[in-house]
Amino acid sequence: MLKPGDYIRDILRSEPGKSVTARGWIKTRRDSKGVHFLQLSDGSCFRDLQVVIPEGSVADDVLHEATTGASVEVSGELVPSPAAGQRVELQARALTVVGPADAKSYPLQKKGHSFEFLREIAHLRPRTNTFGAVFRVRSALSFAIHSFFHERGFVYVHTPIITASDCEGAGAMFGVTTLDLQNLPRLAEGKVDYARDFFGKPAYLTVSGQLEGEIFALALGNVYTFGPTFRAENSNTPRHLAEFWMIEPEMAFCDLADDMELAEDFLKYVIGYVLDQCGPDLEFFNERIDKSVLATLEHVVTSPFERITYTEAVRLLEQAGKNWEFPVHWGADLQSEHERYLTEEKFRRPVIVTDYPREIKAFYMRMNDDGKTVRAMDVLAPRIGEIIGGSQREERTDVLRERIRAQNLNEDAYWWYLELRKYGSVPHAGFGLGLERMLMYLTGMKNIRDVVPFARTPGSAEF
Ligand code: ATP
Ligand code: MN
């Protein structure tokens, strides 16, 4: 096992003269007269370790197997490197090929494969520069998220992945069943007899942990969930996955203003952490994927977010003099083009839009006194549009019940949600952030399939 100190990340920081053993995979190999060069990666950092093998120092048959894609163990001494951009390189004394690679068929021989092609070889793409960087940033981001909430005394709650309450209302759900689909038990009138299913009723994969999060917020104060979420929406876009990870904090004694402040602090904190910890990875994204990555991130960390109401946003969009693909009028949801105009042209920074018409938002959002808008907030970010969606929740039983009825939802299914308002209700609020959307923002990657280890999208669940 690799231990701190053995990682190539650590080796590259060591002084010349030190004896080290590196283990990893050969990214490229170059042979010149009297000397062989290996670029060795163990995934611990963006940089590869250059291994120099003078002719004759390693047996020919071993050297023969040390091809691109092979895994090796190399021992030797660090020497100052004449090559640009690296302090040290490894002068090999001993080389072992741990696992050879079939050199003829190894798909990552040449540089410059398309992301589409790399998706088809998702078992090998983590070995590329781009995907190594993506998944190191993903890990650092996840850690930053936990650390942000931990520092503020939030309790991490594991909300269920399987849910039998069809009441989350955030999108189409995947069913979970053990019934034999070829031979379904049926009731007299022909409907499926779910009483004979595993849970005795229809069950689904969760689309959000929010409602259960509220239960815990009304007991533990400040909580958050961070886990997988599933949506069976057939939207084949570069921004939607059928399985993605979501972060959902929920706070008791909290109104929309507090909620927005937390969302802004949160985004600044996690971006700051990744800027701090993943410098070389982000520099790569900035150079090779999107030239605006670093500038936008640094800008977001230092500038206050704009706050406007939905009604103001609609007025600004109407006055913009643009030929919108989706016409703007009060009551219509904001589309990507509108969100990008506000963040990229009008304000040139993240914008929090609040107080949306009740018709286009979920039933649980707190009704404003105007009777037309609800205490919702969306955080819009330059380049990608909506990144966070949140709201203050309706804490008044009568108003909530009315909203459930008005949206033709089954009141009985919400019995426990309504009871939370009956026993010690408090103003509370929260928001949801899609981990992969955030990662797209951090890396500049254009397709959400390229920031998740294994993408689940309509028609595709390989690996
Ligand atoms: P969109 O309008 O982009 O479909 P939404 O309004 O359905 O988003 P919410 O229900 O508010 O999104 O979910 C909270 C967050 O989860 C979103 O802000 C977004 O970051 C993320 N998200 C939603 N759907 C998906 C998806 N299919 N794949 C990846 N992330 C998603
Ligand atoms: Mn959606």
PDB file of all heavy atoms in Angstrom, residues 170 231 233 240 437, ligand 2:
ATOM      1  N   ALA A 170     -40.036  16.267  -6.808  1.00  0.00           N
ATOM      2  CA  ALA A 170     -38.990  17.017  -7.518  1.00  0.00           C
ATOM      3  C   ALA A 170     -38.703  16.449  -8.901  1.00  0.00           C
ATOM      4  O   ALA A 170     -37.797  16.888  -9.574  1.00  0.00           O
ATOM      5  CB  ALA A 170     -37.713  17.048  -6.698  1.00  0.00           C
ATOM      6  N   ARG A 231     -33.004  10.671 -10.436  1.00  0.00           N
ATOM      7  CA  ARG A 231     -34.134  11.269 -11.163  1.00  0.00           C
ATOM      8  C   ARG A 231     -34.284  10.572 -12.501  1.00  0.00           C
ATOM      9  O   ARG A 231     -33.344  10.527 -13.291  1.00  0.00           O
ATOM     10  CB  ARG A 231     -33.913  12.768 -11.373  1.00  0.00           C
ATOM     11  CG  ARG A 231     -33.790  13.459 -10.021  1.00  0.00           C
ATOM     12  CD  ARG A 231     -34.289  14.847  -9.997  1.00  0.00           C
ATOM     13  NE  ARG A 231     -34.095  15.382  -8.651  1.00  0.00           N
ATOM     14  CZ  ARG A 231     -34.024  16.659  -8.363  1.00  0.00           C
ATOM     15  NH1 ARG A 231     -34.140  17.552  -9.329  1.00  0.00           N
ATOM     16  NH2 ARG A 231     -33.866  17.055  -7.125  1.00  0.00           N
ATOM     17  N   GLU A 233     -35.755  11.514 -15.000  1.00  0.00           N
ATOM     18  CA  GLU A 233     -36.207  12.456 -16.034  1.00  0.00           C
ATOM     19  C   GLU A 233     -35.482  12.116 -17.333  1.00  0.00           C
ATOM     20  O   GLU A 233     -34.290  11.871 -17.353  1.00  0.00           O
ATOM     21  CB  GLU A 233     -35.944  13.901 -15.609  1.00  0.00           C
ATOM     22  CG  GLU A 233     -34.528  14.157 -15.099  1.00  0.00           C
ATOM     23  CD  GLU A 233     -34.412  15.443 -14.293  1.00  0.00           C
ATOM     24  OE1 GLU A 233     -35.433  16.076 -14.019  1.00  0.00           O
ATOM     25  OE2 GLU A 233     -33.292  15.800 -13.931  1.00  0.00           O
ATOM     26  N   HIS A 240     -27.684  17.059 -16.825  1.00  0.00           N
ATOM     27  CA  HIS A 240     -28.536  16.154 -16.048  1.00  0.00           C
ATOM     28  C   HIS A 240     -28.010  14.725 -16.035  1.00  0.00           C
ATOM     29  O   HIS A 240     -27.665  14.178 -17.073  1.00  0.00           O
ATOM     30  CB  HIS A 240     -29.964  16.147 -16.610  1.00  0.00           C
ATOM     31  CG  HIS A 240     -30.703  17.417 -16.355  1.00  0.00           C
ATOM     32  ND1 HIS A 240     -30.663  18.482 -17.230  1.00  0.00           N
ATOM     33  CD2 HIS A 240     -31.491  17.803 -15.319  1.00  0.00           C
ATOM     34  CE1 HIS A 240     -31.402  19.470 -16.736  1.00  0.00           C
ATOM     35  NE2 HIS A 240     -31.914  19.097 -15.588  1.00  0.00           N
ATOM     36  N   ARG A 437     -22.864  19.568 -10.585  1.00  0.00           N
ATOM     37  CA  ARG A 437     -22.971  20.916 -11.166  1.00  0.00           C
ATOM     38  C   ARG A 437     -21.843  21.791 -10.616  1.00  0.00           C
ATOM     39  O   ARG A 437     -21.223  22.584 -11.326  1.00  0.00           O
ATOM     40  CB  ARG A 437     -24.310  21.547 -10.813  1.00  0.00           C
ATOM     41  CG  ARG A 437     -25.507  20.842 -11.427  1.00  0.00           C
ATOM     42  CD  ARG A 437     -25.891  21.410 -12.780  1.00  0.00           C
ATOM     43  NE  ARG A 437     -26.976  20.624 -13.340  1.00  0.00           N
ATOM     44  CZ  ARG A 437     -28.274  20.939 -13.215  1.00  0.00           C
ATOM     45  NH1 ARG A 437     -28.632  22.043 -12.577  1.00  0.00           N
ATOM     46  NH2 ARG A 437     -29.201  20.162 -13.746  1.00  0.00           N
TER      47      ARG A 437
HETATM   48 MN    MN B   2     -34.877  19.233 -13.037  1.00  0.00          MN
END
